[in-house]
Amino acid sequence: MTDDALDAVLTRVRDRVTPDAEERARLDEAVDRLTDATERAVADRPVEADVVHVGSTARGTWLPGDRDIDLFVRFPPGLPREDLEHHGLAIGHQVLPDGREEYAEHPYVTGDFDGFAVDLVPCFRVERAADVRSAVDRTPFHTQYLDSRLDAALAADVRLAKQLLSAIGVYGSDLRTRGFSGYLVELLTLEHGGFRPLIESAVDWHPPVRFDPEGHGTPQNEGFDDPLVVVDPTDPGRNVAAVLSTTNLARFQHYARDLCADPRESAFTPDSSAPLSAAEVRTELERRGTIPVAVRFDPPDLVDDQLYPQLERSRRGVADALDRRGFDSLRSAAFADESAVLFVELGVAERPRIERHEGPPVSARDHATAFYEKYADTDCYGPFVEGGRYVVERERTFPSPRTFLESDALFDVALGADVERALAADYTVLVGDETARLADEFGAKLARYFSPTP
Ligand SMILES: Nc1ccn([C@@H]2O[C@H](COP(=O)(O)OP(=O)(O)OP(=O)(O)O)[C@@H](O)[C@H]2O)c(=O)n1
Ligand SMILES: [Mg+2]
């Protein structure tokens, strides 16, 4: 009975996420014109290259309205890297006059063409995906592999999966999201024979989960210790799910189970909660009885794939450092927009002025004597002997979170290099009610923080 309900829901959503004939026709036309223009630009240059359409619009797995055309220009594998970059950019700018340069492993041009967002990416035409000179060289092999295997029904199920993963915030292999890439979704859907078998299988996964569609099983793969391993059919040495985090895999399992238990179309629509005002943040904090602290600074000028891993490391470092100093970190988050923020909710606002500091066992003569002499003529209580050791009670260095966050000890935390430089330039510490000020810029993020969903 539930089975029928789930099928009925999937049929309706499948319909909703299938681009209509008009969109498909417009796309085909744009791809043709774009390919022509690119081939002409190649012909103008003293280099040989072919043009291939890759990515989800080549495989019929894009979501309606989300139209990016990934067009690759393949140069001979022996071409020097700087020539590839030079020709690649020149061709990109000729085809997309208003385009701008972006940087993956090498620079490429991205811009608008007939209302479609185009990435024009230079790569090397290598013999096999295992011979790649740069990561993007694999992409044409992905398309080649999936082309003959993804029929229209599977492509429709890929779109269902992308829609669900987007709704729960885990679609995308960028380092901010650390979720599922399009290619990963395609391989998983193919491996299971559709969306429904995929989620029905996912509800019982016990990570680490491993799929090896082409049975490569080569020893190289033994090194993968990721929660989900999908051995790239086109390149045995690569785990397609390498960036997927443990958290996001578990999220997918939760929502797969949730959808099977309670089939409904709304599962495919993102939740949107209204941004919190400063007053609402204060009310939340009062209800929770926690002590929020925040370090706010100018974000370093980095692309997201560099910024977010550094923010994440800094967040964890600061939360752990506060926890180790007795302030009980409950939960924390990092936000970035105009400013960047490391936000930590603590359970303890203040520690006693005096802290206990244990020395070596009295029996360890040299160490013990050194410890005793170091503290003997100070304002400390002790040294006294307890359980065979010297102990002193001394003035605590950081009696409050603020004293720690405003001290140089903050820089002993493992921060990313650029975050460390940004903090060295300037930062502000907010404690308690002062953190409500963050609502101006991060009201929406705070709304999600205070109403966490799986
Ligand atoms: N981390 C990544 C990102 C991209 N790709 C390759 O580059 C292609 C284009 O990338 P992208 O546009 O990000 O993904 P799509 O598959 O096109 O999915 P969509 O645009 O629908 O999100 C992918 O299909 C894949 O073959 C990859 O191998 N690894
Ligand atoms: Mg794409």
Side-chain angles (χ1 to χ4, degrees), residues 37-303:
T38 309
E39 283 170 348
R40 278 199 306 276
V42 171
D44 287 349
R45 310 199 63 80
V47 65
E48 182 264 328
D50 67 352
V51 178
V52 279
H53 179 205
V54 299
S56 62
T57 48
R59 301 168 192 153
T61 55
W62 82 95
L63 291 177
D66 172 30
R67 312 150 173 184
D68 62 56
I69 301 178
D70 303 296
L71 207 69
F72 278 43
V73 182
R74 284 191 303 184
F75 293 94
L79 194 72
R81 206 180 192 93
E82 57 271 26
D83 291 359
L84 171 130
E85 293 186 4
H86 169 72
H87 291 304
L89 289 176
I91 292 165
H93 286 302
Q94 185 173 335
V95 176
L96 305 168
D98 299 324
R100 59 196 165 83
E101 290 178 20
E102 292 218 349
Y103 205 89
E105 255 192 63
H106 39 243
Y108 63 98
V109 176
T110 173
D112 213 63
F113 188 93
D114 284 358
F116 293 87
V118 175
D119 285 350
L120 218 105
V121 181
C123 74
F124 292 107
R125 187 176 52 243
V126 291
E127 203 67 34
R128 299 175 310 148
D131 301 335
V132 295
R133 288 184 60 189
S134 87
V136 290
D137 300 345
R138 286 193 194 93
T139 302
F141 292 93
H142 299 161
T143 297
Q144 204 175 55
Y145 179 81
L146 290 165
D147 229 9
S148 55
R149 291 172 174 84
L150 276 187
D151 58 18
L154 280 173
D157 276 24
V158 167
R159 289 192 292 265
L160 275 184
K162 285 186 178 181
Q163 183 67 35
L164 179 74
L165 294 167
S166 304
I168 65 177
V170 302
Y171 180 64
S173 59
D174 56 278
L175 297 183
R176 177 180 184 179
T177 311
R178 298 200 59 201
F180 295 73
S181 71
Y183 181 50
L184 175 60
V185 177
E186 289 164 340
L187 291 176
L188 286 172
T189 307
L190 181 63
E191 178 76 11
H192 292 82
F195 174 76
R196 182 168 177 158
L198 167 62
I199 59 166
E200 284 174 343
S201 157
V203 298
D204 284 317
W205 285 350
H206 293 278
V209 187
R210 183 189 157 96
F211 298 102
D212 185 2
E214 288 301 304
H216 287 306
T218 53
Q220 286 150 282
N221 305 328
E222 306 308 326
F224 296 154
D225 60 354
D226 303 313
L228 175 64
V229 174
V230 177
V231 181
D232 192 335
T234 73
D235 185 355
R238 174 176 182 252
N239 174 16
V240 180
V243 305
L244 176 65
S245 68
T246 300
T247 301
N248 284 338
L249 175 58
R251 274 193 184 123
F252 171 54
Q253 289 193 269
H254 168 88
Y255 284 101
R257 221 171 265 160
D258 178 53
L259 179 63
C260 291
D262 178 17
R264 64 208 187 282
E265 274 185 77
S266 61
F268 291 84
T269 315
D271 267 346
S272 54
S273 36
L276 292 187
S277 66
E280 287 166 327
V281 170
R282 276 191 291 271
T283 307
E284 264 319 322
L285 290 169
E286 216 161 289
R287 173 158 38 199
R288 291 169 67 76
T290 53
I291 296 92
V293 299
V295 174
R296 190 177 205 177
F297 55 102
D298 284 339
D301 184 19
L302 298 172
V303 297

Side-chain angles (χ1 to χ4, degrees), residues 412-423:
D412 295 337
V413 169
L415 309 157
D418 300 280
V419 166
E420 186 167 339
R421 253 194 302 280
L423 288 174

